[in-house]
Amino acid sequence: MREETRLKIAIQKSGRLADQSLALLEKSGVSLAKSRDQLLCRAENFPLDVFLVRDDDIPAFLANNVCQLGILGQNAFLEKQALGNGKFESLAQLLPLGYGKCRLSIAVPHDFAYKSIQSLTGKVIATSYRGLLAAYLKQHDIDADIVTMEGAVEVAPRTHLADVICDLVSTGSTLVSNGLVEKEVILRSEAVLVSNKITDPVIAGLADKITSRIKAVLRAENSRYIMLNSPTASLDAIKAVLPGSASPTVMPLQGRDDMVAVHAVCEEGVFWNTMEALKASGASSILVVPIEKMLD
Ligand code: ATP
Ligand code: ZN
């Protein structure tokens, strides 16, 4: 009997992206037999195998077609492409996933007299992102030396290994506690869904299905369902305040000809100030509820 054709996706085994990547697959309706210690996790209800690996290895898994999809930081993906001599050219970013947000930045010691990017000329820069940094320096026509470090890049200036650093920053607290100041942002990054060139039509169909489910999950997560009552006379004013909703549903309220009910899916943030603006425009009984799933 021919073995069932299964799609394979690589995600980070442990680290900053691991939990959210697994949760995203689960929200997309993939239920996994949880055995995090293993390399491979079989989905029970979808022809999908999940490879739990180091993020740095994901591009190679895709390039060698061990997996067809992968989730990793754009920073790690673009760095592999920058250094890969064309090996990773055929891989494509399908979708930003909205988590793992960070930036790749140049930071200098607080007593470094930094005026502009020109101040880096002749300096030694420590980084784990040689490819992206070299491209950035070349683009700005700056001649500087790059020292590659695997980790703990932020201590390089203190140990006189380098003058400045180029590293990932999210809150900036690591920089502050090492006496460093962020000066240039080279790249803004988040987790992305990446794929290789899929030739098998069955696998391609499965990859499309998972990709559109993930899209639907992300859309639903960012959307809210708003219900409110509006004086008929204020309807236009209220529609103007409803965030990211083209055509709300307007329904009569029984026994009232001066009021209507308005329901809308808002695909933008609905914040307290949005609700206050709705109220100020005449809305009452405002309800905002999360949306679990959404498919057009
Ligand atoms: P692995 O063991 O898989 O190689 P790692 O140590 O390379 O893990 P993590 O530190 O878990 O990786 O980071 C994974 C990704 O999380 C980064 O490549 C980046 O895209 C993202 N990220 C978000 N915020 C930060 C941050 N402040 N520092 C580092 N990475 C961050
Ligand atoms: Zn890594």
Side-chain angles (χ1 to χ4, degrees), residues 68-99:
Q68 295 80 39
L69 294 179
I71 294 178
L72 75 164
Q74 275 171 318
N75 53 295
F77 175 63
L78 295 174
E79 174 67 12
K80 288 284 174 188
Q81 281 199 324
L83 288 180
N85 284 326
K87 191 173 168 209
F88 304 112
E89 283 311 302
S90 62
L91 308 184
Q93 300 187 45
L94 298 184
L95 199 61
L97 301 174
Y99 59 91

Side-chain angles (χ1 to χ4, degrees), residues 12 14-17 54-56 73 75 100-102 168-170:
Q12 194 189 26
S14 63
R16 294 173 193 264
L17 305 179
R54 286 197 58 190
D55 61 352
D56 317 71
N75 53 295
K101 286 194 178 164
C102 57
L168 294 179
V169 183
S170 47

